[in-house]
Amino acid sequence: MCLKIVTAVNNSSLIQPGFSLLHFGSHVFFFGQKGWPKRSCPTGVFLLNLKCNELRLRSTTFSNNSCYLPPLRYPAITQLPSSSNDESTQYLIHGGKTPNNDISHKLYIMSMVPSVNKKIILCCMEKDLLGDIPEARYGHSINVVHSRGKSATVLFGGRSYVPLSKRTTENWNSVADCQPLIYLIDLQFGLSTSYNLPELQDGISFHVSLAKHDTVYIMGGHCIESNCRSTNIYKIKVDLPLGSPAVTCTVMQGSLSFSSAIATQISLEEFMIVGGYESDSQKRFICNRVCIKEDTIDIQKSETPEWTGEIKQSKTWFGGDMGRGAVLLVIPGDNKHPCSESSYFLYILNFGEDEQIMQSCSQGSTEELEDSMPLEDSEEFTFNNDGNLFDEDTYNEDDEEDESETGYWITCCTDCQVDINTWVPFYSTELNKPSMIYCSNEGGHWVHSQCMGLSENMLIYLSENNVKYFCNEHVKLAKSLQTPRKTAPLKKPCLKTIRKKNVPSRLSAVQKSFLRRLFE
């Protein structure tokens, strides 16, 4: 076991709680950033390049047939192993929170596309589901089980927003645990079936789920309703005969009580559980080795690394599984240093071979990455277009918008009336966010329509007519920039009228003929 500190060379602000790590063979990808980047394809998937204890994030190219994949935090992720090689492994991604705090209900399948020139290209496809479709959620788990030569996907737990029928002014944006249902998904036909098991009475989120053959073990997790972290271990067994599947649950007494822990697999039958919380204010510094054999599970306390002072003193920590027995731990800094890179402390806790993980991140493409420029001066989140890559603009970390300042829950003015805890729809066009309008003063900023006293008709008029708007604080500037009123054009009299009024009555025959030809 080894604990090493690494340095984030670029774009460390992208690493936020709720991220996930995907490992395709020797490549490890970071997924789930906090803010929406200002680009045409904001997938939020980065390649981790680890060299000499320095971690760099590189943008990832997607194939031209890929679907749109938003940056998702706290999704449920699991591998679909392949028998050929590790890099042909697929990942299932379900649910999660978007940077706008919407909750996704979609299921994606991520895979790596073979490339002749060693260029790393990913492909993401959305999977449509039928039957009992799981509601949008985050903080849940998804696993793949195998029985009688067939496979199925097991989805359980998570949190979601309170249903609209149960929302009040006080809990309008509150979340609740999802119903304790087991969803069995057949990926071949896209059919989802829910099972209500009597052993599962409480909703659980941010738990650990380990799968072996036809069984899924669910451990830990937090329940909002009871505000507890149960020590029970739920053994979910799935039987896939020719007819209808059978799902059973057995409750086992355990000794572990935790939430938000990280699980990594170190061998075919052994797993390690590290990190998480024992309570809302107490981190969990104990590591446990879990051994799953046949129908038995054995949990033992393992050797604990020598935690650094930053890890012990911090109130929060988070991370992800890098694969092959390695875990990436992120510790928020004190933000007292002027250097922006000191906002986080990054550690790699390795339970396997030390050199194996240090050389496993993105070494398959070192020729193009080691000597290339940092991310903000290199590639973009581009799709592969007929084999040709295009870079219309460059990535800049400053483009990332901070949700605390530019999100929907900003304080738009000194008299802002919108409160995240008590907000209710004000306009009939609002769904789950307050309506906002863009003020064109200087750099521009967003303000709430309700705080600006705009009627719904006026709001619709401004949105449909594409006119500049200035908020109450900058309306004087708008008046000073008003263009002069348009004057009515001069009326030009008809030539025939001029002929009747101005032509003398006594003219010679030659003059009359000349004037007649002139006016006609």
Side-chain angles (χ1 to χ4, degrees), residues 97 101 161 168-174 403 408-411 416-424 432 434 448:
K97 299 180 68 174
N101 283 330
Y161 286 125
T168 61
T169 303
E170 290 75 15
N171 69 348
W172 187 261
N173 295 284
S174 300
E403 290 176 307
Y408 277 97
W409 307 114
I410 62 173
T411 301
C416 182
Q417 304 173 6
V418 176
D419 186 354
I420 184 175
N421 298 315
T422 61
W423 177 80
V424 294
N432 58 350
H448 297 117

Side-chain angles (χ1 to χ4, degrees), residues 137 363 387 394 460:
R137 61 188 66 200
Q363 293 302 303
T394 57
I460 296 175

Side-chain angles (χ1 to χ4, degrees), residues 24 62 66-67 69 78 80 89-94 106-112 122-128 187:
F24 294 92
F62 278 75
S66 294
C67 68
L69 176 67
T78 190
L80 284 174
T89 300
Q90 294 179 328
Y91 268 90
L92 293 179
I93 304 174
H94 181 270
K106 297 183 178 181
L107 177 64
Y108 301 95
I109 300 179
M110 177 98 63
S111 60
M112 180 178 289
L122 297 180
C123 178
C124 181
M125 304 299 294
E126 182 179 345
K127 183 68 175 180
D128 295 328
L187 293 178

Side-chain angles (χ1 to χ4, degrees), residues 284-302:
R284 178 179 177 271
F285 293 109
I286 301 175
C287 300
N288 293 97
R289 183 182 298 268
V290 181
C291 183
I292 301 177
K293 293 182 179 180
E294 300 302 330
D295 287 340
T296 63
I297 179 172
D298 181 38
I299 303 176
Q300 298 293 335
K301 185 177 179 181
S302 179

Side-chain angles (χ1 to χ4, degrees), residues 375-395:
L375 174 62
E376 55 266 31
D377 294 325
S378 61
E379 301 135 342
E380 180 191 354
F381 304 128
T382 58
F383 281 88
N384 190 32
N385 187 10
D386 297 332
N388 299 324
L389 300 179
F390 57 92
D391 293 326
E392 296 182 354
D393 58 356
T394 57
Y395 181 82

Side-chain angles (χ1 to χ4, degrees), residues 129-130 132 134 143 145 151-156 181-187 190-195 236-240 244-247:
L129 298 179
L130 301 173
D132 303 328
N143 300 91
V145 293
S151 62
T153 302
V154 178
L155 187 146
F156 173 75
L181 301 175
I182 296 292
Y183 290 90
L184 202 62
I185 302 174
D186 186 347
L187 293 178
L191 181 62
S192 175
T193 307
S194 63
Y195 294 85
I236 310 297
K237 192 176 183 63
V238 179
D239 187 16
L240 301 174
S244 301
V247 181

